[in-house]
Every structure is written in structure tokens, then in C-alpha cells.
Amino acid sequence: MTAAALAAALLAAACAREAPKAAPLRPVLTERVGVAAAAAAPTYAGEVRSRVEQALAFRIAGKISERLVDAGATVRAGQVLARLDPVDAALAADAAEAQRRLADADLRRFRELREKNFVSQAALDSRETTLKASAAQAELARNQSAYTVLRADQDGVVGQVLAEVGQVVAAGQPVFRVARLDVPEVAIAIPEGRLPEVRQAKQAEVTLWADAARSYPAKLREVAAVADPATRTYAARVALLEADAAVALGMSASVRFSAGTAAERLTIPQAALFQKDGKPAVWLVGDDATVALRAVEVARYTDGRVELAGGLARGERIVVAGVHKLAAGERIRVAERGAGTAVADLAAAK
């Protein structure tokens, strides 16, 4: 075979071979900052309560003989709610009054005897002191006799009935719990990680579970100084500024605070963070589908997400999964979070 024939054979063999296929691009899950990762103000579940809730009790011990209101009843200031058996208190008042009268008569006799110089001035002073003590005791017994009637101190609604007719109660033992209706608020629990931003919030919005389409303006009124030892949350009260008849005590409610400085920060999934030289960074996806590291500044970590203080702008696309398998300048196939093919593409890439 001549050289020309050998060259022709080699050329024909080379042409017969197939051109090598390009390596498929790696599908990577991405997300646009500020679209799917925009910060959302958290919602706190709570219960509608009254700012003023009183536990009413008798000031003396006794047996309840009459209960005049039930739970849910609307009461007025001064209205009689319950009575104790008055017999013992009346007998004590009568006995104290009898002692006062005896001391008064005794004092008059000693004054006559003193005028005749039959008794000393010290003996007369003693009888005067006895009369004052007896009068005070009689007045105290009369007051205690009046304490057998329990009255409402203010307008409100009876939230709970804690004792029944026939029950013997001690002095100060709660019998009713009465709440005012004109100062409703929502009791919530704030996680310790959210406490700073809640304190900075100027306004809040309350939504009732019974009517989610309507919201009520509100504001944070108070926050407990110490966290609950079991839940590690801070009890807080949010006052309703424009409540109406639809707001009833005990209703379930949701509270959302207005966006403050911390809530306006962009957030990204924690899985999107990549460490470069010990500092946080993310893989930024360019217009040509290549990735490049971008340093970011982390404000704080939340449940599954990270709040950023800087480094990214709203609308930029970042990689949110598989960040440790990428290299700078690598070209990828973008898989949008939430797309139906994203999971299948990622599974095939593995």
C-alpha cells in the first residue's frame, strides 16, 4: 500500500468516528432573593383577654348561701354577686355592740363616783379606754357583717365562677373572676430570638380566627421582664386600638407586627450559605448561568433561614442547594425552586 492510499484510509476512519458529546450541565436548585426569599413578618398566636381582670373574694370566711350571677353575665359596679350565711356575723356584731353598751354604762358610773372622789382618776381613765376599745370592736363587727355581701367593684363580665352555693370559703378565696369589656387586648408569647424586633415595632395588626378577612390596628403594650422557665418565651400584651362588638374575650387571634428594620432585611435559606476563609458567602448565578462566590453579612439566624445585613440585592439569583459541589466559574443548569422538574433534575444529577 502506497503512502497516499494509507493516508486516505486513515482519513476515512477518522471521519467515520462520532464527535464526542459535551458533558451535561449540572442542574442546581436556585432562588431569587426578594421573590421567594423575601422576609415575612412572623405571626404570633394569642388569645383575646381583658387588660383588667379581677378575682373577687369575700373579706371574711363563711358558707355561701346565695349566688346571683353565672359565668358570662354582664355586671355593673356595686351589683350584688353573692352572699354568705349572715347568722354568725350578725351574732358577732350583736355581741360586740353589747360589750360597747356595757363599757359605756360602766364609764358613766365611774364618772359619777369620780365626782364624789370615791374612785381614782386612773380607774376612770381605764374605763374610758375600755369604752374606746369596745366601740372600735363593735364598729369592726358591723363592717364584717357587711362583708357577707360580695359586690362588683366595676362594670364587666363574669369570666369564671370559682365557688358554688353551700361551699365554705376562706377569707380572700376567689369566688368570681370579672373582666372589663372596654379594654380588650391579645396575650401572646414571644420567642427570645424575636424579642428585639418586636420591641422596635411601632404598630401591630390583629386578626381574629373567627373573621380572618378583617384586621384591627393594635400596639405592643407590655412585655414580661423575665422569660417563662419552661417555654423560654416572653409573655406580652398587645392592646387593640379600635375594637368592636365582634371582639369577644377568649377568642383566638393572630398578631403580626409592622415591618421594622430587622424584618425588612432579606433572608435566604441556611443551606445557601458557603464558608470562604471562615466568612459567609453565597454562590451568585450570573446571566450566563455561571456561578461566582459573593461574600454576605449575616444579621442573625432564624428557623431554617438567615437574615442578611448586606451583600445581596433584591432580585439576584443564588444557589440554595448543593453549594459544596460547585466551583467558581462553573456553568450550571438553573432549576427554579418550586418547579416541577427540579427534584427530578437534581436526582438525575446525583
Side-chain angles (χ1 to χ4, degrees), residues 283-334:
W283 287 107
L284 187 67
V285 182
D287 296 335
D288 58 351
T290 59
V291 295
L293 273 179
R294 170 80 66 83
V296 295
E297 183 180 354
V298 175
R300 72 187 185 96
Y301 293 87
T302 61
D303 295 338
R305 301 192 71 83
V306 180
E307 288 187 1
L308 300 180
L312 287 178
R314 192 179 300 273
E316 291 184 312
R317 186 182 294 276
I318 62 171
V319 177
V320 296
V323 295
H324 298 287
K325 298 181 179 180
L326 300 177
E330 181 178 351
R331 189 180 180 85
I332 64 170
R333 182 155 59 92
V334 175

Side-chain angles (χ1 to χ4, degrees), residues 26-312:
R26 181 198 303 272
V28 175
L29 189 61
T30 65
E31 188 176 277
R32 284 196 180 274
V33 179
V35 177
T43 301
Y44 301 93
E47 178 186 2
V48 178
R49 305 282 292 275
S50 174
R51 180 182 303 183
V52 181
E53 298 180 359
Q54 289 182 320
L56 299 183
F58 289 101
R59 299 173 67 174
I60 60 174
K63 181 179 181 180
I64 298 178
S65 61
E66 191 176 8
R67 179 170 65 80
L68 303 177
V69 295
D70 296 319
T74 302
V75 298
R76 299 292 182 183
Q79 180 177 340
V80 178
L81 305 181
R83 291 187 176 94
L84 293 178
D85 186 350
V87 175
D88 292 345
L91 291 176
D94 292 343
E97 179 61 21
Q99 290 294 329
R100 186 199 66 79
R101 292 177 180 177
L102 177 60
D104 183 57
D106 199 17
L107 177 60
R108 288 197 298 269
R109 287 193 298 269
F110 266 72
R111 284 175 177 170
E112 294 175 358
L113 293 175
R114 177 57 185 164
E115 291 175 357
K116 298 176 182 180
N117 205 24
F118 288 163
V119 295
S120 65
Q121 182 63 38
L124 178 61
D125 293 343
S126 176
R127 294 306 183 274
E128 289 179 347
T129 302
T130 300
L131 176 61
K132 291 180 180 179
S134 299
Q137 189 65 31
E139 182 67 21
L140 176 61
R142 283 194 296 271
N143 290 342
Q144 291 184 335
S145 181
Y147 295 157
T148 58
V149 178
L150 181 61
R151 300 178 182 272
D153 292 336
Q154 60 186 1
D155 297 348
V157 61
V158 178
Q160 285 183 294
V161 176
L162 305 174
E164 296 293 340
V165 174
Q167 183 175 343
V168 177
V169 295
Q173 179 180 340
V175 178
F176 298 99
R177 189 173 296 278
V178 177
R180 287 177 54 179
L181 294 174
D182 57 337
V183 283
E185 56 188 23
V186 180
I188 61 175
I190 302 175
E192 55 187 28
R194 292 285 183 179
L195 191 59
E197 69 183 54
V198 170
R199 288 186 182 275
Q200 293 174 6
K202 301 299 181 182
Q203 294 180 346
E205 183 181 75
V206 173
T207 304
L208 300 179
W209 182 85
D211 186 8
R214 184 174 182 182
S215 61
Y216 299 85
K219 67 176 182 179
L220 182 67
R221 186 178 69 82
E222 69 175 18
V223 180
V226 180
D228 183 274
T231 63
R232 304 309 305 166
T233 58
Y234 289 80
R237 290 294 184 101
V238 178
L240 293 171
L241 302 180
E242 299 177 5
D244 54 21
V247 181
L249 300 182
M251 280 187 166
S252 300
S254 299
V255 180
R256 185 187 299 273
F257 292 94
S258 60
T261 302
E264 291 176 351
R265 293 180 177 138
L266 300 178
T267 68
I268 62 174
Q270 290 186 8
L273 279 184
F274 183 84
Q275 296 292 326
K276 180 182 179 182
D277 299 330
K279 297 181 180 180
V282 297
W283 287 107
L284 187 67
V285 182
D287 296 335
D288 58 351
T290 59
V291 295
L293 273 179
R294 170 80 66 83
V296 295
E297 183 180 354
V298 175
R300 72 187 185 96
Y301 293 87
T302 61
D303 295 338
R305 301 192 71 83
V306 180
E307 288 187 1
L308 300 180
L312 287 178

